[in-house]
Amino acid sequence: MPRSARLKSSTGIYHIINRGANRQEIFHDDDDKIKFLDTLKRYKIRTAMKVYAWCLMGNHVHLLVKESNEEISLVMKKIGVSYASYYNWKYHTTGHLVQDRFKSENVETHEYLITVTRYIHQNPVKAGIVTSPEKWKWSSCLGYYGESVYPTDLLECNYILHMFSPNWSIAQSRFKEFNELQNTDKCLEDYDDIRRRLTDDEARIEIKKCLGSYEIPQVKSLPSEQRNQILRKVKKIEGLSLRQAARILGVSPNLLFKV
């Protein structure tokens, strides 16, 4: 069945979620996140799109953007291809990195615009990674609080802040209060779809369920066919990062990326 065309937003504003293919992690260290943000900024400059919010998680990205000179589908494709080229070069991998078709929703009203902004900033809180939005440095939250975020000149927060007050300091204070309110916002995906990261102790318990009669220290010494079969099962554990699994099992992260 052919894919349906995306509905155009009358405002040009979209909330976008781009996930790793098969929910795989797409960011393994800070350099990866920096590279993605640099790529996003490069295409912002090239296309004159506006970036109102972002949040980088382990296996997905939230963006709140307004398209300009190019349709957002084309821009996202270029960003994805550019970042995937870097990723495959760095980790010596091949194949698809992100899902073929990113998820998006139109943002048509001011009320929903600020709701989506809060939803994006609270993503790490709902995932159980941090206790408050400003503690996650890989989102645009701190930029709205008047602090610096990387990279400079990527975030355009004036438009949204002005909805809270024409006075800059009052707007920041009101936005912060709104941004940190407990809520039941559901934007594009349910929170049930966001998995909490496992602790190492929890991860070991889940990994052991995949090993059968083997112990964790034995896995790295198994014949490659048996070992890889186990690793493929381990990769499917919800809330387990590949680097975390590699550390616990004593294998190379690249091995886990490839199997």
Side-chain angles (χ1 to χ4, degrees):
M1 180 181 294
R3 291 172 173 172
S4 59
R6 295 183 191 275
L7 294 176
K8 292 284 291 181
S9 168
S10 63
T11 63
I13 302 175
Y14 298 88
H15 172 209
I16 292 168
I17 300 176
N18 215 1
R19 290 193 179 277
N22 299 316
R23 292 183 175 271
Q24 75 176 76
E25 288 207 334
I26 55 178
F27 305 116
H28 304 293
D29 57 30
D30 287 357
D31 288 341
D32 293 346
K33 297 182 181 74
I34 288 170
K35 182 65 175 182
F36 181 87
L37 290 172
D38 285 341
T39 304
L40 179 61
K41 180 179 177 180
R42 186 166 74 250
Y43 282 96
K44 173 201 168 179
I45 294 171
R46 288 184 184 180
T47 67
M49 73 175 180
K50 297 182 184 299
V51 180
Y52 294 135
W54 68 80
C55 183
L56 277 53
M57 303 291 281
N59 70 350
H60 67 282
V61 177
H62 284 268
L63 299 174
L64 181 58
V65 300
K66 182 175 183 178
E67 67 182 3
S68 182
N69 297 336
E70 290 189 31
E71 289 190 358
I72 195 61
S73 294
L74 182 58
V75 176
M76 290 304 301
K77 181 178 180 180
K78 291 178 178 178
I79 291 172
V81 168
S82 178
Y83 180 73
S85 296
Y86 152 84
Y87 181 100
N88 289 335
W89 166 81
K90 178 177 178 179
Y91 294 109
H92 309 289
T93 58
T94 58
H96 292 293
L97 176 62
V98 297
Q99 292 177 342
D100 289 339
R101 185 172 169 86
F102 64 86
K103 296 172 67 175
S104 69
E105 63 175 345
N106 299 352
V107 180
E108 305 284 6
T109 66
H110 286 174
E111 180 181 8
Y112 195 57
L113 179 62
I114 62 174
T115 296
V116 171
T117 304
R118 177 171 67 187
Y119 173 83
I120 290 173
H121 289 159
Q122 289 204 4
N123 208 244
V125 178
K126 297 294 184 179
I129 299 173
V130 294
T131 56
S132 56
E134 75 271 15
K135 292 184 179 179
W136 185 248
K137 70 176 181 178
W138 299 110
S139 82
S140 51
C141 177
L142 287 175
Y144 279 90
Y145 292 180
E147 300 183 35
S148 61
V149 289
Y150 184 90
T152 57
D153 301 324
L154 174 61
L155 177 64
E156 300 191 36
C157 59
N158 292 3
Y159 180 61
I160 290 176
L161 284 176
H162 193 74
M163 296 176 190
F164 289 84
S165 173
N167 180 284
W168 186 255
S169 61
I170 294 175
Q172 285 181 329
S173 177
R174 289 177 177 173
F175 176 87
K176 188 174 189 296
E177 182 180 2
F178 172 82
N179 196 51
E180 297 183 5
L181 281 175
Q182 292 187 359
N183 60 81
T184 56
D185 298 337
K186 294 182 183 292
C187 302
L188 188 57
E189 65 175 353
D190 290 340
Y191 283 129
D192 291 341
D193 197 37
I194 303 171
R195 308 299 181 183
R196 183 179 65 83
R197 178 67 57 82
L198 296 178
T199 66
D200 280 1
D201 287 341
E202 292 170 333
R204 290 187 187 95
I205 292 171
E206 295 303 316
I207 288 173
K208 286 179 180 179
K209 295 177 182 178
C210 301
L211 303 188
S213 60
Y214 297 111
E215 296 294 331
I216 286 177
Q218 295 177 299
V219 173
K220 62 184 178 183
S221 300
L222 291 173
S224 59
E225 186 175 344
Q226 291 176 266
R227 179 200 64 204
N228 292 348
Q229 185 177 8
I230 290 173
L231 294 183
R232 282 190 286 270
K233 292 180 181 178
V234 168
K235 286 175 67 172
K236 295 179 181 179
I237 297 173
E238 293 286 356
L240 176 70
S241 77
L242 297 189
R243 285 195 174 275
Q244 184 182 29
R247 185 178 71 251
I248 292 171
L249 291 168
V251 299
S252 164
N254 281 341
L255 175 61
L256 268 168
F257 299 153
K258 294 176 181 178
V259 296

